[in-house]
């Protein structure tokens, strides 16, 4: 447990909570138990939150409760913290900023502006096609040019059209290609380079996050499954539940 003094009172946070401390607000921090505590932190410039919210907000959202268990905020902050062990690529960074900004706005409804929203499906489709076809680095600036929208507006239109972020769509298409190449026996480093990942470790992190196991293990299971199918008369499919 972490304890701290903030805005005239004591606050206590537990594992799984998200803490929101606003700029220039005086605070301290200490362990609330004898065993100590660990935490991870993101520093997000207010201008980035304001830019991400665009016309959806009248002002910056001010969240009164410093400690929150709100699922949307916890998930948004958790996504950013999960990426701290490696450099953010640009699309991933934009998605993290937008997710946190939207979560903050949901917790501070007084800052919201009542507006209608009509997705630009044509712009979203142009971006989707670029992401689908792209093998090398794809920058936010390039997608802004294709969509004729700023990066955060583009992310909103894309999610409305396809139910996911541009970054996640791109990663999943690259993982689709990686799985195809894994079946050919290609080396992991070569697969990572061919599919647009920064390196083999980047491929492994994204693969594990999407499928729950590393690519080498996935390939071994695919090969074992293929051999079992060959061994069965007529190549009959395996029953659900794995090898028999």
């Amino acid at each position: 447990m972490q304890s701290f003094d903030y805005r005239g009172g004591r606050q206590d946070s537990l594992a799984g909570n998200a803490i929101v401390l606003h700029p220039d607000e005086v605070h301290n921090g200490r362990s609330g138990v004898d065993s100590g505590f660990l935490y991870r932190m993101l520093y997000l410039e207010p201008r980035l939150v304001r830019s991400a919210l665009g016309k959806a907000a009248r002002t910056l959202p001010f969240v009164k409760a410093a400690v929150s268990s709100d699922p949307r905020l916890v998930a948004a902050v958790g996504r950013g913290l999960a990426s701290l062990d490696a450099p953010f690529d640009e699309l991933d960074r934009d998605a993290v900023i937008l997710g946190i900004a939207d979560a903050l706005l949901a917790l501070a409804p007084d800052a919201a502006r009542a507006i209608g929203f009509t997705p630009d499906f044509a712009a979203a489709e142009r971006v989707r096609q670029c992401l689908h076809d792209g093998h090398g680095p794809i920058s936010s600036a390039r997608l802004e040019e294709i969509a004729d929208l700023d990066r955060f507006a583009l992310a909103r239109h894309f999610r409305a059209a396809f139910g996911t972020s541009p970054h996640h769509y791109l990663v999943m298409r690259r993982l689709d290609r990686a799985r195809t190449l894994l079946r050919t026996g290609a080396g992991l480093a070569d697969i990572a380079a061919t599919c647009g990942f920064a390196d083999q470790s980047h491929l492994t992190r994204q693969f594990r996050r999407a499928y729950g196991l590393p690519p080498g293990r996935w390939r071994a299971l695919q090969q074992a499954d293929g051999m079992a199918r060959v061994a069965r008369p007529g190549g009959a499919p395996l029953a659900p539940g794995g090898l028999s």
Side-chain angles (χ1 to χ4, degrees):
M1 180 175 73
Q2 179 189 15
S3 298
F4 58 98
D5 300 309
Y6 178 74
R7 294 181 61 79
R10 169 175 166 158
Q11 306 288 330
D12 298 302
S13 66
L14 300 173
N17 289 151
I19 302 172
V20 179
L21 302 179
H22 293 277
D24 302 325
E25 291 281 357
V26 177
H27 63 278
N28 56 23
R30 59 188 178 273
S31 177
V33 293
D34 293 339
S35 57
F37 70 100
L38 296 172
Y39 68 95
R40 308 189 86 186
M41 181 178 291
L42 288 172
Y43 290 92
L44 188 58
E45 292 185 41
R47 66 176 180 84
L48 296 175
V49 176
R50 190 69 193 90
S51 179
L53 292 174
K55 295 180 180 179
R58 295 180 295 103
T59 64
L60 275 170
F62 185 86
V63 179
K64 295 180 180 179
V67 179
S68 176
S69 58
D70 179 81
R72 187 170 180 176
L73 180 61
V74 170
V77 173
R79 175 176 178 177
L81 294 175
S83 300
L84 287 182
D85 293 330
F88 282 103
D89 67 47
E90 194 173 26
L91 295 183
D92 192 16
R93 181 201 63 191
D94 292 345
V96 168
I97 293 170
L98 183 60
I100 293 175
D102 282 344
L104 292 174
L105 186 61
L107 293 173
D110 291 346
R113 187 191 306 274
I115 59 171
F117 177 72
T118 302
D120 189 333
F121 291 104
E125 173 57 25
R126 292 195 301 272
V127 170
R128 187 203 66 79
Q129 191 62 51
C130 173
L131 296 173
H132 191 85
D133 296 340
H135 293 268
I138 296 178
S139 68
S140 293
R142 179 181 173 190
L143 296 185
E144 287 179 322
E145 184 177 354
I146 291 171
D148 195 24
L149 296 166
D150 74 69
R151 62 193 61 190
F152 297 117
L154 162 60
R156 296 182 190 282
H157 287 273
F158 194 93
R159 181 173 292 278
F162 301 113
T164 190
S165 68
H167 175 258
H168 189 254
Y169 184 90
L170 176 63
V171 169
M172 295 309 297
R173 300 294 72 74
R174 288 175 170 172
L175 289 176
D176 285 344
R177 291 192 286 272
R179 288 192 301 169
T180 298
L181 292 174
L182 281 167
R183 292 188 178 98
T184 71
L188 293 180
D190 290 338
I191 292 174
T194 299
C195 295
F197 294 98
D199 51 31
Q200 180 176 329
S201 63
H202 185 207
L203 164 63
T204 298
R205 286 195 305 274
Q206 295 291 356
F207 200 99
R208 188 190 293 273
R209 184 179 298 177
Y211 304 120
L213 71 172
R217 177 60 176 160
W218 184 89
R219 173 157 57 191
L221 290 174
Q222 293 294 310
Q223 291 171 342
D225 181 65
M227 289 187 290
R229 288 174 184 272
V230 170
R232 285 174 172 267
L238 290 172
L243 301 177
S244 61

